Amino acid sequence: QSYGILVQRMGTTGTLDVLINAPDPSEQEEFSDFLNRLRELQQAIHREPGVAGTVSVVDLLDFMQGTRKERGRSMDWFLAAYLQRLSPTQKLQLAEMSSPTLIAPFWNSEHRVMRGIVQTGTVQTEAKHDLIESIETVAQNRFPSARAAGAEVLLSDLVQNLLAGQWITFSLAVMAIVLMLTVAFRDWRLGLIALIPNAAP
């Protein structure tokens, strides 16, 4: 409830990560196909109710090429034409060399893991848990290695586990009260009747 109030009053949005194992960039054809499928995955996730937006290294590569054309200067046109001739793998390598801090959050070349960021809208905790599962399912349909991660996933799991723990504790307490009242009254029926005023608080 507190989290819901925070979301409603402040209009906050959450982000979660989708981590995907990527092929070796040296296999240019396979890696290019991977990036194309990553673009398709982003479009599929964006269609999910509750998703506000997605961003990945694909968007950065598109931005790197697209903004050059829009600037209109001859050098920018030359660079845009040059970038258009490069394969997606070569564009990524060029981006890593020119802006390593921009690419690093989305592409871990050492472990070959691609990271997509999904921005979620203002949804309640229970709905967010379902949304995370839905996003993970959509991602795993295209990439079996895909998994959801991040603070939003941790928060959702924490709330779910907290609620489950409270129900388990309540059930154990009720059973213990019934047992004690049955022993006290020496009749399980009286124990159940006496449970009503004891379990309510």
Side-chain angles (χ1 to χ4, degrees):
Q1 287 175 345
S2 299
Y3 180 70
I5 290 169
L6 181 69
V7 165
Q8 289 168 6
R9 299 283 175 85
M10 300 187 69
T12 57
T13 56
T15 57
L16 63 100
D17 302 333
V18 176
L19 306 179
I20 305 167
N21 294 341
D24 190 341
S26 62
E27 302 289 334
Q28 292 201 18
E29 190 174 336
E30 187 182 356
F31 195 77
S32 297
D33 177 61
F34 169 81
L35 291 178
N36 288 331
R37 288 191 296 130
L38 180 59
R39 187 193 303 276
E40 291 170 4
L41 172 61
Q42 282 185 250
Q43 293 168 353
I45 290 175
H46 197 83
R47 288 193 292 269
E48 289 292 308
V51 172
T54 63
V55 65
S56 75
V57 75
V58 172
D59 299 299
L60 296 180
L61 297 179
D62 289 346
F63 177 78
M64 184 175 74
Q65 182 175 323
T67 51
R68 293 285 178 191
K69 285 184 178 178
E70 291 163 7
R71 289 174 194 167
R73 294 181 303 195
S74 56
M75 180 59 82
D76 292 324
W77 275 99
F78 172 75
L79 286 170
Y82 171 72
L83 288 168
Q84 208 160 5
R85 292 169 184 255
L86 297 178
S87 69
T89 307
Q90 291 170 325
K91 287 179 191 174
L92 181 61
Q93 290 169 341
L94 180 63
E96 278 188 291
M97 285 189 295
S98 60
S99 304
T101 54
L102 186 64
I103 297 297
F106 298 96
W107 166 236
N108 187 322
S109 55
E110 183 183 350
H111 297 287
R112 290 203 308 234
V113 174
M114 197 69 76
R115 173 183 179 230
I117 298 175
V118 181
Q119 186 180 29
T120 59
T122 54
V123 293
Q124 295 298 322
T125 309
E126 295 84 359
K128 185 155 284 189
H129 184 76
D130 294 337
L131 178 60
I132 291 169
E133 286 188 345
S134 178
I135 289 169
E136 198 167 48
T137 301
V138 169
Q140 288 174 349
N141 286 340
R142 288 169 172 77
F143 301 99
S145 68
R147 61 264 184 208
E152 285 293 312
V153 178
L154 182 63
L155 178 63
S156 176
D157 287 345
L158 179 66
V159 170
Q160 293 295 318
N161 290 332
L162 179 64
L163 292 174
Q166 286 178 330
W167 279 112
I168 290 169
T169 305
F170 176 74
S171 302
L172 290 173
V174 166
M175 290 185 340
I177 291 170
V178 169
L179 182 62
M180 287 187 290
L181 291 173
T182 301
V183 171
F185 291 116
R186 299 183 184 183
D187 187 341
W188 64 270
R189 286 166 296 193
L190 289 174
L192 288 176
I193 294 170
L195 175 67
I196 297 170
N198 285 282

